[in-house]
Amino acid sequence: PAAAAAGAGPRRTASGSIAVQGAKARVARAGRIYVEGRHDAELVEKVWGDDLRIEGVVVEYLEGVDDLPAVVRDFAPGADARLGVLVDHLVPGSKESRIAAEITDEHVLVVGHPYIDVWEAVKPSALGIDAWPRVPRGQDWKTGVCRALGWEENTGAAWQRILSHVRDYRDLEPALLGRVEQLIDHVTVGFS
């Protein structure tokens, strides 16, 4: 028998899902995913955007977690309007973990990754570096990374450089991948 053509098979989205050919974006559902930071939102859009449009899930920018309890209250989550929140540096004993613990609504899922910033969720190999630089405590992490890598100290330009090297889910650390998938599952539960 003839060998299968290279690349044959279903087309995949950047998240690894099977692409739904010809599908139009679904009208946005009431449920939302909030992400802490613009860079986080841009990364989620780049990797999961196709999937989110098919599901009708909107990702919104959360300007830090300090006001998360008020944000949740204002959102008024319910069975038909579930809320998922992605938080940076959600590790035991952190300010972020104490704030996240205040959220007890069954229709809200707060998850996070262990990284100081979502930049670190991009595998160093995707950028052609061995590892993310260690930045001394008390120094702005992004600025320190730019200095250590010899990049221009414009963090917006540095982020665009990083983002341009992310092709798909394989360029991201599993600690971020799993959390975003959890959030998508949470806000779409019960919908077909």
Side-chain angles (χ1 to χ4, degrees):
R11 189 177 83 69
R12 300 277 176 176
T13 67
S15 73
S17 299
I18 295 175
V20 181
Q21 298 299 322
K24 294 186 184 337
R26 182 175 283 177
V27 172
R29 295 183 172 160
R32 295 284 187 268
I33 295 176
Y34 284 5
V35 295
E36 184 187 12
R38 292 190 200 300
H39 297 170
D40 307 58
E42 290 175 354
L43 185 61
V44 168
E45 166 56 31
K46 183 164 188 174
V47 175
W48 288 274
D50 289 341
D51 304 347
L52 294 168
R53 281 183 284 286
I54 294 289
E55 295 296 333
V57 176
V58 174
V59 174
E60 295 194 25
Y61 165 60
L62 176 66
E63 199 172 338
V65 297
D66 292 345
D67 296 324
L68 186 58
V71 168
V72 169
R73 231 179 358 266
D74 290 347
F75 183 81
D80 294 331
R82 298 168 69 89
L83 179 61
V85 182
L86 179 66
V87 178
D88 288 343
H89 201 237
L90 191 60
V91 296
S94 67
K95 169 189 83 168
E96 292 83 359
S97 68
R98 289 188 297 276
I99 293 170
E102 294 178 37
I103 309 302
T104 58
D105 188 305
E106 68 179 314
H107 300 108
V108 180
L109 176 63
V110 180
V111 298
H113 55 73
Y115 309 111
I116 293 171
D117 189 87
V118 78
W119 289 20
E120 256 187 312
V122 176
K123 290 180 179 176
S125 59
L127 301 168
I129 59 176
D130 293 330
W132 284 102
R134 297 282 171 215
V135 177
R137 197 176 190 104
Q139 185 180 108
D140 178 71
W141 189 83
K142 291 177 185 175
T143 302
V145 165
C146 290
R147 283 184 190 141
L149 294 175
W151 294 352
E152 177 186 348
E153 290 186 31
N154 173 332
T155 57
W159 170 244
Q160 290 308 311
R161 179 182 196 157
I162 295 165
L163 188 61
S164 74
H165 284 83
V166 174
R167 294 160 301 163
D168 59 33
Y169 72 96
R170 292 171 291 193
D171 293 325
L172 302 178
E173 297 290 353
L176 176 67
L177 295 172
R179 301 308 71 78
V180 175
E181 295 291 338
Q182 272 184 288
L183 293 174
I184 294 169
D185 290 347
H186 174 76
V187 300
T188 59
V189 72
F191 294 103
S192 58

